[in-house]
Amino acid sequence: MVRKRKKKFSTKKFLRFFIPLIIILTIFLYKDDIYTLYVYKTTSYSDDTINVIKDNNLDINILNKKYSQTLENIINTEYFDVKHVDDYLEINYLDRDNFSSNISKLLSLNYTPKEINIIYDKLSDESIDIIINNDYLSDLIDIINLSYFKEDLLERYIEYILKNDYEIETAIIYVNIGLDKEYYTNVSEISDQDDILVLVNKYHKLSENYVPDDLKTISAKYQWAGRSNTLRKEASDAFEKMCEAATKDDIYIYAGSGYRSYATQLYLYNNYVLQDGFDAAETYSARASYSEHQTGLAMDIANKNGFISESDKEYKWLIDNSYKYGFILRYPKGKENITGYMYEEWHYRYVGIDVAKEVYESGLTYDEYVAKK
Ligand SMILES: [Zn+2]
């Protein structure tokens, strides 16, 4: 007979079985609290930040994400806004003036964290103040990212865009030229007057006493009506070369009017005003100091009858070939609002072959070309 072993109660066994069960049960019941405790212990945020998160019943997972100095800094200021918590996490922290207040203003203007990062990456605090003082500008990032965006013009860009209906690129180029201001206002003196690429227009003037020191008289055979026009040496040589090339195509072009001194321009302009009135003269004659002819790089080109006009075969030849010799048509048709001058079929400007080719291929005026640099 097999003796049945009597089951005996064992405390040891009981403990071995129930203690783990109780632990598991406790963990299960209090898992949220345990997790919360764990997050509080392991997060890099300060106690103050943790308290604000607690007080506002915010998702504690915020504390678990990548540490954000932006959140840490703003959370205990008056600028903290619960609805932007996730946005703060995406904004790269920078040690800049009024950072917390500025980002809160940008967020309330509806700029996204991504946009705010670009704004802060590219602009100074002064520019950020300008942005904050305006309404949301949906094109702002596109503007900032243009290669020819000039930060010191930001306020003028915004004003011009709000007032006009231009495409963004056009508006920026126009402001770069200076077209948001009246002609002959906001004028600057040209710093390098001897630069072959010098831009002279109704916003950029030469000094009264500027005379190029390398003026050269163009060969008599390319002078119109026995004149003695000069250009700066490089331009003068290029002009003769162009005349010579034209001859081979049976085209005969001449130097009608090249370099003109300040005094000559003053005399001409005043005479035109007397003759045609101020408003008319302004459309075709430059005030003294503002004439390209004073650079020794501009030429009014003639055929045997006088200055070239659109219907002349010489006009067509020049349009197709002048850039190969470094010359560009300076005041084209339909661009009067940009150049500030009426269409001048005869007025060419020397800029050198490389730039002339670029301007020719771009279809831009020289003013726009420079404004995109
Ligand atoms: Zn001219």
Side-chain angles (χ1 to χ4, degrees):
M1 194 183 151
V2 179
R3 209 171 71 123
K4 219 178 171 183
R5 219 174 115 224
K6 206 182 162 188
K7 243 187 179 169
K8 214 176 86 187
F9 176 80
S10 150
T11 320
K12 217 174 152 192
K13 263 188 185 167
F14 173 83
L15 286 176
R16 261 200 359 231
F17 178 73
F18 277 101
I19 287 181
L21 190 74
I22 287 163
I23 290 173
I24 287 165
L25 217 70
T26 313
I27 289 175
F28 182 76
L29 286 173
Y30 296 98
K31 67 177 188 316
D32 288 349
D33 294 335
I34 292 167
Y35 175 67
T36 305
L37 272 174
Y38 167 78
V39 171
Y40 289 163
K41 280 286 159 210
T42 55
T43 184
S44 306
Y45 287 102
S46 66
D47 291 345
D48 288 341
T49 302
I50 294 170
N51 288 334
V52 176
I53 301 275
K54 271 192 215 168
D55 295 347
N56 288 285
N57 286 323
L58 297 172
D59 180 0
I60 68 149
N61 282 310
I62 291 163
L63 299 170
N64 229 358
K65 290 181 184 163
K66 193 165 160 273
Y67 176 77
S68 160
Q69 184 75 45
T70 305
L71 176 67
E72 176 75 66
N73 278 47
I74 204 167
I75 205 160
N76 292 298
T77 70
E78 58 189 292
Y79 310 110
F80 177 68
D81 186 341
V82 169
K83 74 169 192 276
H84 286 305
V85 165
D86 288 328
D87 295 329
Y88 301 140
L89 297 178
E90 286 178 54
I91 297 172
N92 303 326
Y93 177 76
L94 291 166
D95 184 16
R96 298 264 291 263
D97 288 351
N98 309 317
F99 185 70
S100 292
S101 117
N102 283 352
I103 63 164
S104 79
K105 286 174 189 162
L106 289 167
L107 284 168
S108 60
L109 281 172
N110 278 332
Y111 287 103
T112 65
K114 210 177 148 196
E115 288 173 332
I116 293 172
N117 285 337
I118 296 171
I119 290 168
Y120 260 98
D121 188 36
K122 301 228 171 171
L123 301 179
S124 68
D125 290 333
E126 289 77 25
S127 298
I128 288 166
D129 284 342
I130 293 170
I131 293 167
I132 286 168
N133 288 323
N134 277 280
D135 291 335
Y136 175 76
L137 198 62
S138 58
D139 297 309
L140 182 67
I141 302 303
D142 288 344
I143 294 169
I144 293 173
N145 283 330
L146 286 172
S147 61
Y148 43 91
F149 165 77
K150 293 179 170 62
E151 189 173 348
D152 55 326
L153 298 179
L154 179 65
E155 200 157 20
R156 284 168 60 184
Y157 292 144
I158 295 174
E159 203 182 316
Y160 196 67
I161 285 162
L162 296 177
K163 254 198 262 166
N164 296 282
D165 234 4
Y166 295 117
E167 298 273 315
I168 289 305
E169 282 92 358
T170 307
I172 301 306
I173 291 169
Y174 282 14
V175 174
N176 283 357
I177 292 172
L179 292 166
D180 57 321
K181 310 260 185 193
E182 294 284 317
Y183 295 136
Y184 297 119
T185 65
N186 201 41
V187 167
S188 59
E189 289 253 1
I190 293 159
S191 54
D192 187 3
Q193 304 184 104
D194 284 323
D195 186 356
I196 289 287
L197 296 176
V198 66
L199 174 72
V200 180
N201 60 20
K202 292 180 178 181
Y203 303 104
H204 299 280
K205 66 187 283 198
L206 297 159
S207 69
E208 203 171 313
N209 52 19
Y210 174 71
V211 179
D213 59 9
D214 58 350
L215 290 171
K216 187 185 164 207
T217 308
I218 287 155
S219 163
K221 63 178 170 179
Y222 301 127
Q223 294 280 1
W224 187 69
R227 292 187 177 187
S228 51
N229 285 296
T230 61
L231 284 178
R232 288 182 60 187
K233 185 178 181 312
E234 186 179 331
S236 181
D237 292 345
F239 185 77
E240 289 177 358
K241 235 184 184 174
M242 181 164 75
C243 293
E244 196 185 322
T247 309
K248 286 175 187 153
D249 291 339
D250 234 7
I251 297 288
Y252 299 92
I253 52 174
Y254 304 94
S257 180
Y259 165 73
R260 296 202 290 257
S261 68
Y262 175 90
T264 305
Q265 190 64 33
L266 186 66
Y267 170 81
L268 282 176
Y269 174 82
N270 287 341
N271 261 10
Y272 288 133
V273 171
L274 284 175
Q275 185 188 301
D276 291 340
F278 174 79
D279 290 344
E282 285 279 274
T283 67
Y284 65 82
S285 181
R287 297 183 191 176
S289 274
Y290 295 86
S291 173
E292 252 196 349
H293 285 280
Q294 197 188 334
T295 64
L297 296 166
M299 179 60 78
D300 294 335
I301 302 179
N303 63 15
K304 63 181 190 314
N305 302 316
F307 289 137
I308 282 173
S309 66
E310 210 179 45
S311 56
D312 296 325
K313 62 180 190 297
E314 293 83 4
Y315 172 85
K316 172 89 173 72
W317 189 92
L318 283 166
I319 289 292
D320 293 341
N321 296 286
S322 62
Y323 73 93
K324 298 171 192 164
Y325 305 91
F327 289 89
I328 53 167
L329 183 69
R330 183 65 180 86
Y331 306 119
K333 195 189 323 207
K335 303 273 189 160
E336 296 83 352
N337 65 321
I338 299 169
T339 62
Y341 290 100
M342 64 173 209
Y343 176 35
E344 291 193 0
E345 299 115 290
W346 54 86
H347 181 113
Y348 278 78
R349 161 67 195 273
Y350 181 79
V351 287
I353 293 169
D354 294 345
V355 172
K357 187 164 181 277
E358 278 181 38
V359 174
Y360 170 79
E361 283 168 356
S362 71
L364 300 171
T365 61
Y366 192 53
D367 309 87
E368 293 166 286
Y369 174 83
V370 172
K372 282 188 83 172
K373 281 284 155 194

